[in-house]
Amino acid sequence: MSGRLLRLVCTTAMAATAAMAAGTVLAPRPATAVPEPREPGSRSLPALLTDLQRLYREAEQATETYNATEEKLTRQRAETGRLEKELARARLSLHDSRGAAGRLARQQYQNTGDISPYVRLLLARDPQHALDQGHVIGQVARERAETVGRLAGTEKKAAGLARAARKALDNQLTLAARRKKTRDDVHRRLGDVEKLLASLTPEQLTALAAFEKDGVDKAQKKLITSGTLNDDDNKPSAKGQRAVRYAVRQIGKPYEWGAEGPRSYDCSGLTSEAWRNAGTPIPRTSQEQWAKLPKIPLRKLRPGDLVIYFPEATHVAMYVGKGKVVQAPRHGEKIKLSPLASHPVLGAVRPDVRPSGARS
């Protein structure tokens, strides 16, 4: 937990929790009870830090769940709209086909007394003329058959589109309900964070910030000395440079769950917007970024690559070089530069390389 957040919480911890809004889909996790406040000094710093980091992590996981649900709902709304437009066109075409079929029925009714083309040919004084008439009659018959066929095909298409549109709308309503549930889950988990922070004394908050910073510094030193990172940064791609410039320009803006800019971001909102600005759209959530983008070893990191954290891939940051990342850390903090080892590293991905290894 950063010193900035803890100093802020120190002066505002007892204030009412700020109103929060907006956030993918992991399986919902059971509610985690927030430890009951104890007397100041009765809990060890490691225990406090473990509880707080767990709550932050659960809140971020709920946020990414919301983000995934929101993305699915956006796509489903587009699909529902597309089907409704196609259904409207099919119904207009069906109306025209039914009109043509009605005219055909009237013509057939009016011509019921006509002699068959075969009898006309037998009785005709001019057989060639009769054959010509038969050709016209055959052509009309074919056109009538085509009219009936179009009507049947259009009715079948319209019925299929109507079923698809109903199903799409049902899916949309289901996703909307799921989005509300995940949004409520984020609120609840952030409330758990606020409750724990409010239970701590100023002394505990200050000591906790120093304890966490010391842990991050040790993890970073271990990472550097292990040889996991290359001593010299690999050269970024042109798109990677643009993505880094975009992300760095956002430093100082607040973290807000579910946000994609331009005034605030969550972790994957920052990385996805940076790469979209660079001309390479990528998945919205950290889980999808980890699952769908080409993975690379940390030793091959170059500026613009994304570093994914935690076993569930619930946090993401952008590598900027020299062992640093730019990230939207968590609720209550601002976008900043951080050591790469700020959280447990799961791995890294490269947005501007196809899975085959060829550059896009």
Side-chain angles (χ1 to χ4, degrees):
M1 181 175 184
S2 71
R4 177 181 301 165
L5 173 60
L6 289 174
R7 287 193 296 271
L8 175 62
V9 172
C10 183
T11 58
T12 62
M14 300 309 296
T17 301
M20 296 168 288
T24 264
V25 168
L26 296 175
R29 289 177 169 264
T32 305
V34 180
E36 291 297 326
R38 299 180 184 176
E39 291 298 322
S42 64
R43 304 179 64 194
S44 69
L45 287 178
L48 286 173
L49 184 59
T50 297
D51 285 341
L52 188 58
Q53 288 180 336
R54 172 177 51 78
L55 293 174
Y56 271 123
R57 183 176 170 186
E58 290 172 353
E60 190 157 46
Q61 186 165 359
T63 295
E64 290 297 276
T65 299
Y66 175 92
N67 289 338
T69 306
E70 181 71 13
E71 284 292 291
K72 288 183 179 180
L73 180 57
T74 298
R75 291 194 295 267
Q76 187 61 57
R77 283 172 173 161
E79 175 66 6
T80 301
R82 183 190 68 78
L83 286 171
E84 287 176 346
K85 290 179 181 178
E86 191 172 350
L87 178 59
R89 290 193 294 268
R91 283 173 172 166
L92 181 60
S93 177
L94 180 60
H95 175 76
D96 293 340
S97 296
R98 283 174 174 165
R103 290 191 296 272
L104 172 61
R106 288 193 297 273
Q107 290 172 357
Q108 289 177 327
Y109 176 77
Q110 292 167 356
N111 294 334
T112 52
D114 287 352
I115 300 174
S116 73
Y118 178 70
V119 174
R120 285 184 181 181
L121 179 61
L122 291 176
L123 299 178
R125 293 181 180 179
D126 185 349
Q128 183 60 48
H129 179 67
L131 286 171
D132 291 342
Q133 283 186 320
H135 173 72
V136 172
I137 292 171
Q139 183 176 356
V140 171
R142 286 193 297 272
E143 291 176 352
R144 289 175 177 175
E146 290 173 359
T147 299
V148 173
R150 279 197 305 271
L151 174 60
T154 305
E155 286 180 335
K156 183 177 180 181
K157 180 179 180 181
L161 285 171
R163 288 192 297 270
R166 285 194 297 271
K167 183 177 179 180
L169 182 58
D170 289 343
N171 291 340
Q172 180 176 320
L173 294 174
T174 299
L175 284 170
R178 188 185 303 170
R179 181 184 63 168
K180 181 181 183 304
K181 183 177 180 180
T182 56
R183 182 179 62 231
D184 293 343
D185 189 37
V186 175
H187 280 286
R188 178 172 57 80
R189 294 187 184 279
L190 288 175
D192 292 345
V193 172
E194 297 292 343
K195 183 177 179 181
L196 178 57
L197 291 173
S199 73
L200 303 179
T201 66
E203 292 77 13
Q204 285 176 309
L205 291 170
T206 301
L208 195 58
F211 186 73
E212 184 177 34
K213 183 179 182 304
D214 182 61
V216 170
D217 290 344
K218 288 179 179 178
Q220 182 74 3
K221 183 178 179 180
K222 182 178 180 180
L223 179 68
I224 298 297
T225 57
S226 69
T228 303
L229 294 179
N230 207 338
D231 293 336
D232 298 317
D233 289 326
N234 297 295
K235 184 178 179 181
S237 66
K239 287 185 176 182
Q241 284 181 317
R242 289 199 293 272
V244 169
R245 283 197 295 269
Y246 180 93
V248 169
R249 285 199 303 269
Q250 313 313 310
I251 290 176
K253 293 183 179 180
Y255 175 99
E256 181 183 352
W257 69 274
E260 301 175 76
R263 294 184 177 85
S264 57
Y265 300 82
D266 63 19
C267 67
S268 56
L270 175 64
T271 54
S272 60
E273 281 299 296
W275 272 101
R276 186 191 66 80
N277 184 267
T280 300
I282 64 174
R284 167 64 174 88
T285 68
S286 57
Q287 287 98 343
E288 289 181 314
Q289 290 169 8
W290 175 246
K292 297 180 180 179
L293 297 178
K295 296 176 177 60
I296 57 167
L298 293 181
R299 188 166 181 79
K300 292 187 177 181
L301 272 175
R302 69 188 188 191
D305 292 340
L306 305 182
V307 181
I308 311 296
Y309 297 94
F310 302 111
E312 301 86 357
T314 52
H315 187 70
V316 61
M318 180 178 292
Y319 188 66
V320 297
K322 301 188 184 302
K324 298 282 188 179
V325 295
V326 60
Q327 63 168 332
R330 59 197 180 194
H331 173 64
E333 297 192 22
K334 296 182 186 238
I335 296 171
K336 63 181 181 180
L337 289 176
S338 305
L340 189 151
S342 295
H343 309 286
V345 176
L346 175 61
V349 295
R350 179 165 292 167
D352 57 341
V353 173
R354 297 191 185 97
S356 62
R359 290 189 180 185
S360 57

